[in-house]
Amino acid sequence: MDDTDDTELPGFVFSAQTVADLGSLVVPVDGPAPSRVLLLTRPGRPAATDLPAALGTVADEAEAPGQDLLLEVEPLHHVVPYETIDHIVSWLDAGNRAAPSAISAPRRDVASMTHDGAVLTERIVALGPVGLFAIATEPKVATGSPTVLMLNSGNDWHVGPNRLWVDLSRRWALAGFRCVRFDESGLGDSPARPGKEAHVVRAPEAFDDVAEAAAALEPDDPTNVILVGLCSGAYQALENALLLAPRAVYAVNPILHFNPPELATGPMDPRRRICRPATSFVQVYRWLPIAPLRRRLGKLAWRMVHLLNRRQDPSNWLDQLRGNGVEVLVICGRDEARPFRSVIEGTRGPPPGSGEIRIDVIDDIDHALMPAWQRIEVTRRMTEHLLGHFAPEQSRSIARRNSA
């Protein structure tokens, strides 16, 4: 944050004017008391003030279960408090004295807006045979630049972490890029694939989602895309880059060490090239109940572990991306940089005509980029890379000005 009167909360910045406007709001003392009031409090946390007395009425009081699983867990494990939501809906319905009536709201799939003085178009699109939900932000004049695909991070929907995908889409569209932020199947507003569960993070279906989205948006050349992601989205972008060989991949704080969900019922999806599950081959070997069998397979087990680790070492799969001409920008904090140590400390340079591998380590950024200055810094680095490699020359000065 710079030295202004703006106020920052985790993930959001409120202008001084907005803060002043909110601070001026007061409960009117001379107006009629509300006929009904619902007061929900977290279990074990009574209301700090006597709100019903201040409103001059009696409140229907109840607990709001599930707030701890919504607010006090890692983003990957958020649980929507449906019980509390159902209680609110039932309470509102009980107080509705009017007869039900049908309403008709016109559907709008396209919207025009002015962003930093330029006209942009945003439209809702359905991608691939599943109909993945997406919002495409498009420049006024197409430039032929690659399409930017922005992936889910954890349970976040297509707005991205702290609405970062929305901001980036509009900034980069000013430079002539069509930017598409979409929900993988079963997440956000996208339907789950037939026979698959919804709300599964890092599901193997994400491989198909990214491939189908790229093919739908660039049917003549699905490789003409740039994949962008944070956390699980960054991991998925890197994995799909090995299969798709896109123009570039921007990975922010990728997590490479985790147990894929399919391990709960079977083997790991063979398309996973860079995932390092906690349940390793050695652990499976140790579970063998017969000691002679363990001894006989011991050398084979360790040989397999060595081969798998060598295959999953970032220096190897990043070399493949580089050889395929994929530009790679990884931006990460100190902890997330550990898997890339062999690359950061290596001395090998890129072969002529290959893609560029760049790993930027920012020691003091947190995983989800909650403070505004971190999002600003990550935006600056990605924007500079995007403009330097892919933007039409006439668009670069405009986009640089809007990324400052």
Side-chain angles (χ1 to χ4, degrees):
M1 290 290 293
D2 52 9
D3 295 330
T4 68
D5 293 329
D6 294 347
T7 298
E8 181 176 358
L9 298 178
F12 298 94
V13 178
F14 296 93
S15 69
Q17 183 61 52
T18 298
V19 172
D21 291 343
L22 292 173
S24 66
L25 296 176
V26 295
V27 177
V29 295
D30 54 352
S35 59
R36 302 175 71 230
V37 172
L38 174 63
L39 178 60
L40 299 179
T41 56
R42 295 181 63 171
R45 296 191 185 181
T49 60
D50 192 352
L51 182 61
L55 295 174
T57 188
V58 177
D60 297 323
E61 299 188 27
E63 289 188 337
Q67 301 303 298
D68 53 338
L69 296 179
L70 174 68
L71 302 172
E72 298 176 5
V73 297
E74 293 295 325
L76 286 176
H77 306 295
H78 286 171
V79 178
V80 178
Y82 290 108
E83 182 180 350
T84 298
I85 294 173
D86 289 341
H87 183 89
I88 295 172
V89 172
S90 298
W91 184 86
L92 291 171
D93 183 62
N96 182 19
R97 301 174 182 176
S101 60
I103 61 172
S104 177
R107 178 186 175 95
R108 293 185 60 199
D109 293 338
V110 182
S112 294
M113 67 186 64
T114 301
H115 186 73
D116 288 330
V119 177
L120 300 174
T121 298
E122 289 195 332
R123 66 180 70 247
I124 298 174
V125 294
L127 304 176
V130 179
L132 302 172
F133 181 91
I135 294 181
T137 306
E138 301 166 335
K140 186 175 182 180
V141 178
T143 61
S145 300
T147 297
V148 178
L149 280 177
M150 299 178 179
L151 283 62
N152 295 95
S153 56
N155 279 324
D156 284 341
W157 55 331
H158 51 270
V159 300
N162 308 305
R163 290 183 60 82
L164 183 58
W165 293 171
V166 178
D167 181 62
L168 285 180
S169 292
R170 294 170 182 174
R171 289 175 182 267
W172 292 351
L174 295 178
F177 291 89
R178 176 175 57 165
C179 299
V180 181
R181 49 192 192 270
F182 76 103
D183 289 326
E184 297 162 18
S185 58
L187 298 177
D189 291 315
S190 287
R193 290 178 177 268
K196 303 296 183 180
E197 294 184 8
H199 312 298
V200 177
V201 178
R202 300 191 183 104
E205 302 91 78
F207 284 92
D208 303 313
D209 297 335
V210 176
E212 291 174 7
L217 292 164
E218 294 283 357
D220 295 331
D221 182 10
T223 69
N224 191 37
V225 295
I226 297 171
L227 304 179
V228 180
L230 178 144
C231 186
S232 63
Y235 157 78
Q236 192 62 52
L238 290 168
E239 287 276 29
N240 270 88
L242 288 167
L243 299 172
L244 181 63
R247 297 291 184 265
V249 55
Y250 296 163
V252 182
N253 283 334
I255 296 297
L256 309 182
H257 184 79
F258 63 92
N259 282 341
E262 67 268 23
L263 282 182
T265 57
M268 186 167 72
D269 191 294
R271 293 173 293 184
R272 296 193 190 275
R273 291 279 307 278
I274 66 179
C275 170
R276 292 186 174 186
T279 305
S280 67
F281 186 87
V282 171
Q283 287 174 302
V284 175
Y285 153 74
R286 288 171 176 166
W287 292 338
L288 293 174
I290 305 174
L293 183 59
R294 289 202 303 271
R295 287 195 297 270
R296 184 173 301 178
L297 295 179
K299 291 184 179 179
L300 174 62
W302 288 110
R303 188 178 298 123
M304 288 296 297
V305 169
H306 175 73
L307 291 174
L308 286 173
N309 285 341
R310 186 172 65 182
R311 178 172 176 256
Q312 293 170 328
D313 189 289
S315 63
N316 291 309
W317 51 263
L318 284 172
D319 272 350
Q320 178 182 333
L321 292 176
R322 178 160 47 196
N324 290 336
V326 180
E327 306 288 342
V328 178
L329 173 61
V330 177
I331 303 176
C332 52
R334 182 173 53 251
D335 291 340
E336 290 84 1
R338 289 173 182 170
F340 298 96
R341 185 171 301 160
S342 62
V343 183
I344 297 171
E345 298 173 353
T347 59
R348 284 181 297 177
S354 65
E356 174 193 359
I357 304 297
R358 174 178 151 189
I359 301 176
D360 289 0
V361 181
I362 307 175
D363 286 342
D364 49 355
I365 66 169
D366 64 25
H367 185 71
L369 309 181
M370 297 297 283
W373 74 264
Q374 297 181 8
R375 298 192 297 278
I376 292 171
E377 179 62 19
V378 169
T379 294
R380 182 187 67 79
R381 296 187 187 215
M382 288 197 294
T383 301
E384 286 183 354
H385 191 282
L386 184 76
L387 300 182
H389 290 78
F390 303 105
E393 184 61 37
Q394 63 270 23
S395 301
R396 295 181 183 180
S397 60
I398 298 175
R400 286 194 185 99
R401 183 172 66 249
N402 285 284
S403 65

